[in-house]
Amino acid sequence: MVKSLGRWLLGKMREAGYAAGFLYQVLKGSLGFFSRNQVGYRVLFMQIIFTGVQALGVIALISMALGVVIIIQGINLLPQFGQGDLIYAILVAVITRELGPLLTAFVITARSATAIATELGNMCVSHEIEAYISVGINPISYLVVPRFLGVTLSLIILNLYFNLFGLGGSFIVAQFINPIPLSEYTRHLVLHLKTVDILSSIIKSVVFGAIISFTATYNGFKVSQSTTEIPQVVIKAVGQGFVYCIIADAIITVISYL
């Protein structure tokens, strides 16, 4: 039992060391990516198209639905306690600070993390990674870094897009329930929207994007020989993405309220 535990701990330490080295190479490549004229720009562009542009529809639908739910519940419940104006603070807290970045991250994990892990896993099985290395192309610089940057940039943009549609959707629904002038609605939102809310939302987007892209590429590269490994690494990439994003969200939220 002691030997089994020791082997398990040794395996976990090796995996942690490999993950740390992988992350170091990704961050190192990301820092100098835009200073080099390279074919990786095409991979970055295609990743932004897939992760960002093609997800606009589902993000708009989810954000407007969330805004509708909040405004309906708030208008019906809060006035009973004489706190009708709290609806604006709730909108900002829920959409901008919390569920906006987190739900966007979940959508991107379900769409892009699965696609990236599957694609890289197939490339490992078909020995394309070895082919890149044989001709002197760094697979991390060419395959991982553009996806890492593309997912992170897309998540930042999609989060802002989520906020826009979430707050806009609430206003549209409010006109059918309790019509208010646009100027008044905007004024109340601006009064409750603080700099820390915006910074927290952006920081979460950056961190979530880095987590999602890293877990997807890292697990995709772990495929070694068989295609049967691909579903396993995809499930692991999605599970790790969800868990790490939730943990990061809790940490950033606690820090932002200190």
Side-chain angles (χ1 to χ4, degrees):
M1 181 177 178
V2 174
K3 289 183 178 180
S4 299
L5 180 60
R7 285 195 296 267
W8 180 81
L9 289 174
L10 183 60
K12 289 297 181 181
M13 290 176 63
R14 287 176 178 173
E15 185 174 356
Y18 176 76
F22 189 87
L23 178 60
Y24 171 75
Q25 292 296 326
V26 172
L27 294 177
K28 180 181 177 181
S30 299
L31 291 176
F33 181 81
F34 293 103
S35 63
R36 299 190 298 270
N37 184 15
Q38 54 181 299
V39 291
Y41 287 140
R42 181 179 180 276
V43 181
L44 172 64
F45 178 75
M46 295 303 296
Q47 188 62 56
I48 292 176
I49 292 294
F50 175 73
T51 301
V53 177
Q54 294 183 10
L56 291 176
V58 65
I59 292 295
L61 180 61
I62 293 174
S63 61
M64 289 189 69
L66 178 63
V68 167
V69 170
I70 294 173
I71 201 75
I72 290 177
Q73 294 288 352
I75 288 178
N76 283 282
L77 294 177
L78 293 177
Q80 299 177 20
F81 305 97
Q83 301 291 335
D85 286 344
L86 276 180
I87 186 63
Y88 301 101
I90 293 174
L91 281 170
V92 170
V94 173
I95 294 180
T96 302
R97 295 190 65 144
E98 296 301 329
L99 291 187
L102 198 58
L103 289 179
T104 303
F106 285 174
V107 171
I108 298 306
T109 301
R111 293 187 75 258
S112 297
T114 54
I116 292 172
T118 302
E119 182 183 12
L120 294 180
N122 282 318
M123 294 178 72
C124 290
V125 172
S126 61
H127 303 289
E128 289 183 52
I129 304 299
E130 297 174 9
Y132 282 122
I133 296 175
S134 66
V135 296
I137 297 177
N138 186 339
I140 292 182
S141 298
Y142 180 66
L143 298 174
V144 177
V145 171
R147 288 168 172 79
F148 180 83
L149 294 174
V151 171
T152 304
L153 292 173
S154 297
L155 207 146
I156 295 172
I157 296 171
L158 287 175
N159 181 36
L160 297 175
Y161 183 80
F162 190 105
N163 280 272
L164 177 64
F165 270 82
L167 299 175
S170 352
F171 172 75
I172 294 173
V173 174
Q175 302 313 300
F176 295 97
I177 301 175
N178 184 20
I180 56 175
L182 177 60
S183 58
E184 181 181 346
Y185 179 82
T186 305
R187 180 173 61 84
H188 281 291
L189 278 182
V190 171
L191 287 175
H192 289 87
L193 186 63
K194 301 177 182 178
T195 304
V196 66
D197 298 321
I198 300 174
L199 289 177
S200 176
S201 181
I202 294 175
I203 291 172
K204 286 181 180 181
S205 297
V206 174
V207 174
F208 294 169
I211 289 173
I212 294 167
S213 53
F214 174 76
T215 55
T217 54
Y218 173 72
N219 283 286
F221 266 57
K222 289 177 67 176
V223 176
S224 56
Q225 296 178 345
S226 173
T227 55
T228 57
E229 298 176 51
I230 296 176
Q232 299 174 18
V233 300
V234 170
I235 293 172
K236 187 176 292 187
V238 172
Q240 290 177 354
F242 284 154
V243 172
Y244 294 154
C245 283
I246 292 173
I247 293 173
D249 178 73
I251 294 173
I252 296 172
T253 298
V254 169
I255 294 175
S256 66
Y257 280 105
L258 291 178

